[in-house]
Structure formats: structure tokens, C-alpha cells
Amino acid sequence: MTGTLLEVRGLSAGYGESQVLDGVSFGMGVEAVGILGRNGMGKTTLCATLMGLVRPSAGEVLLTGQRIDGKSPEHIARSGISYVPQGRRLFPSLTVDEHLAMLAKGTKGKRWTPKAVYELFPRLADRKGSSGGALSGGEQQMLAVGRALLLNGSLVLMDEPSEGLAPTIVDVLVEAVHHLVSEGTAVLVVEQKLRAATAMAERQLIMVSGRIQAESTASELLANPDLQRRYLGVGSAVDAGEHPLEPQQNRTV
Amino acid sequence: MADTSIQSARHDVARRLPGLVVPLVLALAVLWVLFLARGTPAEPAVRDPGRFAVTLLDGITSAGLFFVVASGFTLIFGLMRTVNMAHGSLFLLAGFTAISLQQAMVGKTRNIAPADVSLVSWIVPLLAAAALAAVLGVLLQQVFLRWNQGQELRQALITIAISVVLADQMLRQFGGLAKTMVWPGAVSHFIEIFGERYATSRLFMLAVAVVVGVALWLWLTKTRMGMVIRAGVDDEPMVRALGINVTLVFAVTFFVGAFLAGAGGVMGASFAGVATGKDGDWLLNSLVVVIIGGLGSIKGAVAGSLLYGLVVAFSPAYLPTQYTFYAVILSFVLLALVLAVRPYGLYGRPA
């Protein structure tokens, strides 16, 4: 961990009466960090709150020392957080090329331009004219990542990027994450799939009921079925019944 | 077993019924107009092609005007979910303003003949009046609506209140008599179509509508702002999460939407005249068009305008004479038919 890029202190948020985040605290530098947790533990709300899409009820978020909590999503995005949301949230009315062209202004001379995104994900270059809705799940995720990269932020925030994707596509994403970190961009990836999460980040924070309950490492988690059972609700293949961590349905390439 | 299959068959019929009824109604309407229409103001099309051609042209040219007005309405709604109930007021205000400007430019307040009107003394009032509507629209959005973004009901009520205030102020300023804008002499001729005289000013109006439509389409598809607007129609919070300042985009969209209402108002004032109360009529026209076409879709506004324009033109001509009075009902039959098959309109998507 090199210096503190993102610092979250006692962050709480919710919808109406129901409190979903209950004092989340963690810090990260220019590194890949995973946040693992079961469904309903507040992972997506954490992402939305960091992005300013949900207003925090308490706590602070600092990005390179500047408070960003309570700011608008556009301010937070410009401050340096590139958001890859759950479910990709592409724009069905726009083609692949338009998704990138829309954000191309101001990217000239920076690391990520539409051209650089096409080089990272050559499959997208073949589908420039297709609408966002007509892409396969994998292509959609590549576009969601590519679109976020055009912000040239210091931190990429990914919410369940492996959801519904075949393992080969997840491998492409894992590679992209490693590539980003090696270039000095931090990645915070929220996952409920152990395999994808541990492949993307060595440092893992475990979220339970709206709090960071424990910190672990990828190797420790993979080696310890007890930990998996305790925090993620599943362990080895023997008792994978109750909370299937990696559902096999809805898988697309 | 047999029971469930009967049930599912019944369910199937119920589900497909609208899909069967609509083509049937369409086919009957076409048959009626082409061959059968008896006891109607117009003879069947095969016997009186001139009247048919004129009615068809009437429908298409009115559709042009419907489109200009409704496209502004649908643009604003699509991006901001704001139902601008003052859209008709902007239409009427621009109409009255353009008429006053034209009178000042021509130097007469009454008995203006097309020969007195040059192209410039039609286009300049149009641009000026539409710009006035656009500026007023932006003011309306910045002063009243911006703080209530996302609260659709509140915005609708605010815009209703503003339309009431505007209606009264216009009555005070422009009086209660119907007024007409005069087409430029250059486009006020008649041409002959199957032996019927047809006003070229209506064709000119259609041409203006096509120019507006093409410009709008180019703006939305070829420019960065247009891409952002289309993306915002799909998922506005996501656009913001990508660092784009939607406040500016909202203001520009309101400007353009109100400009279109104003341009439509000037065209409408030239085509049919404007008077107190027309604001409500044109709000209703816009609503019908965008509900048929699908709220928020420009393609839908084109389709909705065409369908609505054709129904409005054909129903008085081809309904039996004693029922002509009920022609207006047919536009709502159209609305019901479209919604039965496509509840979100032809090109609409669930919110």
C-alpha cells in the first residue's frame, strides 16, 4: 500500500428508514482491493454512496485528501473515481462508438482515449456500430469498463464485474485489472464470487451487514474453507447448498 | 390436462386479440376509403382520386406541424421526465408575437396580403418569436423546475399554473380575437393535383417541418451533446456518474424544446391562426402524438404525428355525412388502438 488514495471513515447510508451501510471504514492506496460479501450485505450501496448516487447519512470519504462525501456524482467522477456499475448500465440508444465518443472530449494526450480502449478490448473495435443493448454480456462489461476508463481517474470502482460472465471473459477482466494496477491506477472491486474476486485483488475486505467485518488476503481465503463459510456462506463444494456463491444460470459470453 | 390446454388457448386468444383487431380495423378503414365510402363528404378514392390525394396531403402536411410541436415536448419529457404543461402556452405566445412582428415589418396591422409579405418578413418573426419562447422556456426551467427535478407531479402542477398566468397575460396583451400570420407571397400559390387546387403554403409548411426534423436528427445523432441527451434519456444518473454536467444539458434541451414549441406556434399561426384557448388545444395535440409514438422518442414523434395527422384529415372527409360531427372521436380511437397493442406507445420504453 503506497500512501492513501481513498479513505473511508464511518460511512453510513440507507434508503428511507432502512440503514444499509453501518459505519464502513477502510483505506486504500494505489492497489487492487476486493470487497467480498454475500447478497444484501450493502456492497452495491457502498459503491453507489461512494459515487454520490446515494447520500451518506454519516461518515467521510476522502479521495487524495479531499472530502467527496455529499458531492454530486459528476463532481466525484471528475475528482477521479471511474465507476463501472452493477449490471453495466450501458445506454441502449447509443452505439459502442458513441459510448466512447460521448466521453472522448478532454482525453487527448491522456492515458485512456477511445483508441486505447479499443486496443485494450479488440472485441469492441469489431462492434463499433452495434447498440449497447445488442452486445453479449462480455462485450457489455468490456464497454462498461472502457467507458469508465475514459475518465482517466485515479481509482476504478467496479461493482460485480464478473456477474453472469463465462470464466474466459472473467479472465479478460482480471487481466485488465492487473494491467491497470501495474500502470498506477487503483481498482476497488466489489464481488460476491470468491474466484473472480481473489483473482483480481490480493487484499480482500469482507463486508457483513453494512460493515467491513474482516480483512484477509486472497491466498488465505482460498486456503481456508472455514473463513469462506463464516463470511460468505459457502465453503467447499461439499456444502455449497445454502448460498451458492457462483450461480451457474444466466451465464453469457 | 385438457382443461389447462383450453385455458391456455383462451389466454392465447386474449393476448393476441389486439394484434388481430388492429390489422383488421386498418384493412377495413383502407377498404372503406378506397372503395366503399358512401354517403360521405368525399366519394370513394377510386371514383374521386383528387379528393383522396388532397386529403392525404392534408394529413401529411398537418403531421409536419404536429411533429414540430410534439418533438419539443417529447424531447423535454424524454430527458427530464418533465411534463411541460406550458408547452401550448409557448406555442401560443410565439404565434401572437410573430404576428405582431410581421405587422411591424410589413407596416400594416390589417388586410395584409401575401404579396406584402417577403420571405424575410415571415422567417425573421419566426426565428425571433421561437427564440423568445426558447428563452422563456429556459427561464421557466431554471427558476421553477430545476429545484424540483425528479418530482414529476410538482413540475406538472407548476407548469399548469404558469400556463394559466401566461394565458391571462396574453389575453391582456393580444386580445381575445383570432389572428393569423400571413404566409410569404413567394409560397402562397395554388397548384393543381388531380384537378383539385392545392395551397403551396401547406407544402412549404411541410418542407419547414422536414428541415426541422432533419436538423433535430443530425443534432441528436451526430453531436456530442446529442449523444449525451440520448444517453440521458436512457439512464440519467449513470450519465452523471460519468462526470457529465447534466445541468447544462437540461438547460439546452429545454431551450431547444421550447424553441420547437415556438416555431410550431408561428407555423400554426400561419396555417390556421391563433386565438385564446389554442394553447390547450396544442398541448392536447402534443400529448396525443407523443402518447401514440412513445414518450421521449423522436422517431415516435414522427410516427405519432403521421398517424394522428392522417386520422384528423381522413375522418371528417370519409365518415358518413350525418356522423361528421364525431370525427374528432376517431383520433382517440387511434390512441386506444395503439395503446392496446403497445402500452408504451409505438417507440416507447417502460421508464
Side-chain angles (χ1 to χ4, degrees):
Chain A
M1 185 170 151
T2 47
T4 301
L5 176 70
L6 181 73
E7 183 75 46
V8 179
R9 297 181 193 144
L11 191 66
S12 297
Y15 307 94
E17 292 284 286
S18 74
Q19 175 128 339
V20 183
L21 297 185
D22 182 21
V24 174
S25 297
F26 67 94
M28 67 181 285
V30 180
E31 60 184 329
V33 174
I35 293 185
L36 262 171
R38 272 184 248 159
N39 254 337
M41 289 297 141
K43 302 187 304 294
T44 293
T45 306
L46 174 61
C47 292
T49 311
L50 289 177
M51 241 6 258
L53 293 166
V54 171
R55 216 162 234 291
S57 53
E60 293 179 359
V61 181
L62 290 98
L63 187 70
T64 55
Q66 302 288 317
R67 289 275 296 265
I68 56 165
D69 52 275
K71 294 273 174 25
S72 68
E74 51 266 45
H75 178 95
I76 293 170
R78 286 175 182 187
S79 306
I81 303 187
S82 309
Y83 181 43
V84 183
Q86 186 180 29
R88 290 114 205 185
R89 289 174 72 170
L90 298 178
F91 307 116
S93 313
L94 267 57
T95 64
V96 170
D97 211 33
E98 286 172 336
H99 273 87
L100 302 180
M102 179 178 118
L103 298 160
K105 197 176 139 198
T107 58
K108 217 171 180 183
K110 299 225 175 104
R111 169 65 186 92
W112 293 106
T113 59
K115 193 162 161 274
V117 169
Y118 287 132
E119 278 161 12
L120 180 68
F121 298 123
R123 271 178 77 162
L124 289 181
D126 301 333
R127 311 231 32 193
K128 277 184 186 179
S130 309
S131 102
L135 301 177
S136 72
E139 289 162 347
Q140 288 187 17
Q141 192 58 269
M142 291 175 200
L143 182 55
V145 173
R147 168 178 80 174
L149 290 178
L150 289 182
L151 271 84
N152 287 290
S154 46
L155 170 71
V156 178
L157 176 62
M158 295 188 187
D159 191 355
E160 301 218 15
S162 77
E163 192 183 27
L165 298 184
T168 51
I169 301 294
V170 175
D171 291 344
V172 174
L173 290 174
V174 167
E175 205 175 301
V177 168
H178 291 306
H179 182 73
L180 283 169
V181 176
S182 72
E183 285 189 340
T185 305
V187 178
L188 180 60
V189 57
V190 163
E191 267 294 346
Q192 55 173 316
K193 289 193 204 167
L194 184 65
R195 201 173 304 146
T198 50
M200 287 181 192
E202 177 61 20
R203 188 176 161 213
Q204 294 289 336
L205 307 172
I206 294 172
M207 198 161 175
V208 179
S209 306
R211 286 165 166 273
I212 304 293
Q213 198 80 345
E215 178 161 351
S216 184
T217 60
S219 20
E220 196 180 352
L221 274 169
L222 286 171
N224 192 339
D226 270 353
L227 268 183
Q228 296 175 22
R229 215 179 345 256
R230 180 140 41 109
Y231 293 125
L232 307 171
V234 287
S236 54
V238 187
D239 58 353
E242 207 182 343
H243 295 284
L245 201 58
E246 298 189 42
Q248 297 297 309
Q249 70 272 29
N250 302 329
R251 203 164 248 195
T252 52
V253 176
Chain B
M1 203 49 200
D3 222 35
T4 49
S5 73
I6 288 171
Q7 263 181 3
S8 79
R10 220 181 259 162
H11 180 72
D12 229 33
V13 170
R15 206 159 40 88
R16 289 201 195 148
L17 200 61
L20 295 171
V21 167
V22 170
L24 197 71
V25 170
L26 260 177
L28 277 177
V30 170
L31 265 180
W32 176 262
V33 168
L34 287 180
F35 305 107
L36 303 172
R38 280 188 216 248
T40 58
E43 298 267 296
V46 284
R47 279 210 259 145
D48 187 357
R51 181 66 187 263
F52 175 76
V54 164
T55 311
L56 187 66
L57 272 177
D58 276 351
I60 295 171
T61 48
S62 321
L65 179 55
F66 288 142
F67 169 75
V68 172
V69 183
S71 59
F73 187 81
T74 207
L75 193 65
I76 289 173
F77 177 84
L79 183 64
M80 289 169 260
R81 306 277 127 184
T82 298
V83 180
N84 179 15
M85 304 294 276
H87 200 70
S89 315
L90 297 171
F91 172 98
L92 188 57
L93 177 68
F96 277 132
T97 308
I99 290 169
S100 301
L101 280 173
Q102 190 182 50
Q103 288 173 351
M105 284 178 80
V106 172
K108 286 202 230 175
T109 53
R110 36 183 37 212
N111 300 327
I112 299 178
D116 300 334
V117 180
S118 63
L119 262 180
V120 172
S121 49
W122 189 79
I123 288 173
V124 170
L126 176 126
L127 293 177
L132 173 75
V135 169
L136 197 68
V138 171
L139 273 177
L140 173 78
Q141 191 253 339
Q142 292 290 315
V143 177
F144 296 104
L145 302 179
R146 200 176 146 187
W147 317 109
N148 297 295
Q149 194 54 48
Q151 312 209 37
E152 287 105 351
L153 182 61
R154 219 188 255 192
Q155 292 189 326
L157 290 174
I158 291 171
T159 50
I160 288 176
I162 287 165
S163 70
V164 172
V165 173
L166 280 178
D168 250 14
Q169 292 307 310
M170 284 189 276
L171 185 61
R172 178 179 154 271
Q173 184 65 35
F174 301 106
L177 295 174
K179 293 183 176 189
T180 308
M181 175 109 171
V182 182
W183 291 110
V187 300
S188 298
H189 300 289
F190 289 91
I191 51 166
E192 196 142 300
I193 295 170
F194 291 103
E196 302 261 352
R197 273 156 54 88
Y198 201 76
T200 47
S201 57
R202 289 197 69 135
L203 300 174
F204 174 69
M205 181 172 79
L206 178 63
V208 174
V210 169
V211 168
V212 168
V214 170
L216 198 59
W217 181 79
L218 285 175
W219 182 56
L220 285 173
T221 55
K222 303 289 171 198
T223 67
R224 201 185 80 92
M225 174 78 79
M227 289 171 202
V228 171
I229 288 172
R230 281 185 293 142
V233 171
D234 287 342
D235 188 345
E236 186 250 319
M238 190 59 222
V239 171
R240 301 180 56 191
L242 289 169
I244 292 170
N245 178 3
V246 287
T247 315
L248 175 71
V249 179
F250 280 10
V252 171
T253 304
F254 230 96
F255 184 90
V256 173
F259 186 93
L260 289 168
V266 180
M267 290 160 71
S270 317
F271 164 60
V274 282
T276 312
K278 286 283 175 198
D279 45 354
D281 294 356
W282 278 91
L283 176 65
L284 187 65
N285 285 339
S286 304
L287 275 168
V288 171
V289 166
V290 300
I291 290 170
I292 293 172
L295 280 160
S297 160
I298 298 289
K299 235 191 276 178
V302 175
S305 307
L306 266 177
L307 279 174
Y308 186 47
L310 288 175
V311 167
V312 166
F314 273 92
S315 22
Y318 288 92
L319 269 184
T321 314
Q322 69 267 37
Y323 298 117
T324 306
F325 188 68
Y326 296 104
V328 65
I329 292 176
L330 280 190
S331 36
F332 295 100
V333 171
L334 168 71
L335 198 65
L337 278 178
V338 169
L339 292 185
V341 193
R342 298 195 64 101
Y344 296 103
L346 294 173
Y347 291 93
R349 272 199 302 253

